[in-house]
Amino acid sequence: VATVVSLPVVESVAPPSGPIAGGTTVTLKGRALGTHGQAACAVGTIGPLMGLETSATSMQCVTPAHESGVVEVFVDSERRRAGRLEPVSFLYGMEGETSAMVPSAGRGALSAAVYGWGFTARSASVFGGSRAVSTAGGASYMEVLVPASMPTGFVTVSAEHGARRADADVVVVYEVLTEAVIRSASPSTVMEQRSALVRLHGTGLREGSC
């Protein structure tokens, strides 16, 4: 009887960035990651690295030191497989920088996560010229409230450490959206306990915002 072996596939890595000194604990998500004794990952050309907290769908690894730039992250045996999905990348950069933001668009006064490295208790995220309120965080991320009073459009997100603004190699941009206003719905009534497709009309509406 033939045995079907699922090859490991990495679909995401978080956080997506860290310092060139290494030491960032990253979580890989995917399929068949910790099966068949292949509980090791590789970062760029460095590996295998022993996987921590390993399961079939999740694995943690600690990044090694590496020069600045973008490298691919994968399960160690995956590098020998042709025809993979799009590679999952990790960004090495200098300390004190902002490298990514989730979500990358929204309105003011919403919660968001700002990723980077070298953050301390004095660090703050700055949206354009407005400082965001930090609600939680660590060395590689900050949970913030997006400033409420910002004009619609794109603003640059950066890290500030006390009186020093970090010089980032990566430009992180946040899109400030127009406040959603619903003016009408059609049909305006539906039968109780029945599913129905309702079309909303207004301004500032975006796909997936319901």
Side-chain angles (χ1 to χ4, degrees):
V1 178
T3 300
V4 178
V5 178
S6 299
L7 295 173
V9 175
V10 177
E11 298 173 337
S12 66
V13 58
S17 57
I20 58 176
T24 301
T25 300
V26 295
T27 300
L28 283 59
K29 296 288 187 180
R31 304 189 301 273
L33 299 184
T35 58
H36 310 295
Q38 300 178 15
C41 61
V43 179
T45 59
I46 303 175
L49 304 170
M50 183 59 63
L52 310 173
E53 302 287 334
T54 302
S55 70
T57 58
S58 178
M59 178 188 299
Q60 287 188 336
C61 293
V62 179
T63 59
H66 197 286
E67 63 183 7
S68 61
V70 177
V71 298
E72 187 178 350
V73 180
F74 41 80
V75 172
D76 186 57
S77 64
E78 192 185 11
R79 73 170 75 199
R80 294 189 292 271
R81 181 166 69 86
R84 282 178 296 165
L85 300 177
E86 288 297 317
V88 174
S89 299
F90 182 83
L91 173 65
Y92 279 97
M94 301 302 293
E95 294 185 352
E97 296 181 7
T98 297
S99 62
M101 180 172 179
V102 179
S104 59
R107 290 175 288 277
L110 297 179
S111 296
V114 177
Y115 293 99
W117 44 85
F119 297 153
T120 67
R122 297 197 310 157
S123 300
S125 293
V126 179
F127 289 69
S130 302
R131 286 171 61 98
V133 176
S134 297
T135 58
S140 60
Y141 78 99
M142 286 186 281
E143 293 181 8
V144 302
L145 290 177
V146 177
S149 56
M150 292 190 298
T152 303
F154 294 91
V155 295
T156 301
V157 182
S158 58
E160 190 175 84
H161 312 280
R164 181 178 65 84
R165 181 75 62 87
D167 296 324
D169 294 330
V170 180
V171 178
V172 178
V173 175
Y174 182 79
E175 183 182 3
V176 183
L177 303 178
T178 303
E179 187 72 26
V181 177
I182 299 175
R183 302 192 184 281
S184 64
S186 57
S188 58
T189 60
V190 296
M191 296 183 63
E192 186 178 359
Q193 297 182 344
R194 292 287 183 90
S195 298
L197 178 64
V198 178
R199 186 177 298 275
L200 303 178
H201 305 273
T203 58
L205 304 180
R206 290 171 63 93
E207 182 178 356
S209 61
C210 292

